[in-house]
Amino acid sequence: EVQLLESGGALVQPGGSLRLSCTASGFTFNIYAMAWVRQAPGKGLEWVSSISGGGFNTFYADSLKGRFTISRDDSQSTLYLQMRSLGVEDTALYYCAKATAYYYDNSWAWNFDLWGRGTLVTVSS
Amino acid sequence: QSVLTQPPSVSAAPGQKVTISCSGSTSNIGKNYVSWYQLLPGTAPKLLISDNDKRPSGIPDRFSASKSGTSAALGITGLQTGDEADYYCGTWDTSLNGFVFGPGTTVTVL
């Protein structure tokens, strides 16, 4: 079955760290770009970070100010998000998404065509 | 504050049509491909439209989309109660070097 399964969400104190994982199955993980997208309570979707197939290129939302690091282990079909200096504003449901991404005719296309069910991160004292 | 603009909500009666607009700029919609996502309560987001106007396998043809200049639009015809959800446009922003989602539009079936 084609699926993504996130884990690692937890209650953490402000200033703390957390590592999220996303295990993929049912498709050739290493050839696809992957991404993390979050949704804070009562808010919309917010793109967090993306990583290219093979992990050669990484992209981050400016709002993260260098606190998050995306990585992947293709041998384990697993995507990671290392989060540091967490603040209450990072409280959200974090989704892992598979991306079909390509650059054509001077334009980028990023289509998040498979999503996990999310893992909840709560930052609170 | 998103760099893309969507109406907060749209509504129509069952069987009718709604259109959701998504407005951006030359660094995002005007330059790159747009995708659309449906977020039903309590479920994972679903890709509805890829590459401006293409429906992935399994998406009914009641859903359609277009792009012109720095704006895009999603149309839903034959509205059903099961279409009540939040809808998001998204695209790559070349100036930000990252992906951006619109703020989302809630569709209500009257």
Side-chain angles (χ1 to χ4, degrees):
Chain A
E1 184 184 359
V2 178
Q3 66 177 2
L4 298 169
L5 184 62
E6 303 95 335
S7 61
L11 171 63
V12 60
Q13 291 192 335
S17 299
L18 203 59
R19 188 178 82 157
L20 306 182
S21 300
C22 169
T23 303
S25 58
F27 64 95
T28 306
F29 181 76
N30 65 293
I31 67 173
Y32 287 98
M34 298 293 295
W36 289 98
V37 176
R38 68 184 181 183
Q39 184 177 29
K43 303 294 185 182
L45 297 178
E46 179 187 16
W47 173 79
V48 172
S49 180
S50 291
I51 186 168
S52 61
F56 299 109
N57 296 296
T58 57
F59 309 91
Y60 298 93
D62 287 346
S63 61
L64 299 179
K65 297 183 176 65
R67 298 181 296 118
F68 291 9
T69 303
I70 192 171
S71 62
R72 61 191 297 161
D73 182 343
D74 288 346
S75 70
Q76 299 293 320
S77 297
T78 302
L79 176 73
Y80 300 102
L81 185 68
Q82 178 68 51
M83 304 185 293
R84 301 179 179 84
S85 301
L86 286 164
V88 295
E89 69 276 10
D90 297 312
T91 294
L93 185 62
Y94 285 72
Y95 295 104
C96 165
K98 167 182 166 284
T100 298
Y102 60 90
Y103 190 71
Y104 174 76
D105 196 20
N106 212 31
S107 298
W108 271 110
W110 282 79
N111 302 301
F112 300 120
D113 53 17
L114 178 67
W115 297 68
R117 298 186 66 88
T119 187
L120 183 62
V121 173
T122 303
V123 184
S124 175
S125 55
Chain B
Q1 192 83 354
S2 176
V3 297
L4 304 179
T5 303
Q6 294 181 240
S9 63
V10 297
S11 61
Q16 297 301 302
K17 175 182 179 178
V18 294
T19 301
I20 301 168
S21 60
C22 177
S23 179
S25 67
T26 54
S27 67
N28 43 64
I29 293 178
K31 181 169 177 57
N32 300 302
Y33 292 88
V34 178
S35 50
W36 290 88
Y37 302 86
Q38 178 191 58
L39 189 48
L40 290 162
T43 69
K46 178 194 291 186
L47 175 66
L48 278 183
I49 299 288
S50 65
D51 301 343
N52 296 336
D53 58 9
K54 295 178 176 49
R55 278 178 290 107
S57 174
I59 302 300
D61 58 7
R62 299 187 299 105
F63 295 90
S64 64
S66 63
K67 184 185 114 168
S68 178
T70 59
S71 294
L74 173 72
I76 310 173
T77 60
L79 205 58
Q80 301 174 2
T81 55
D83 296 331
E84 289 200 323
D86 292 328
Y87 294 83
Y88 295 84
C89 59
T91 186
W92 190 261
D93 190 298
T94 301
S95 294
L96 297 175
N97 200 30
F99 193 87
V100 289
F101 286 102
T105 298
T106 299
V107 169
T108 301
V109 181
L110 301 172

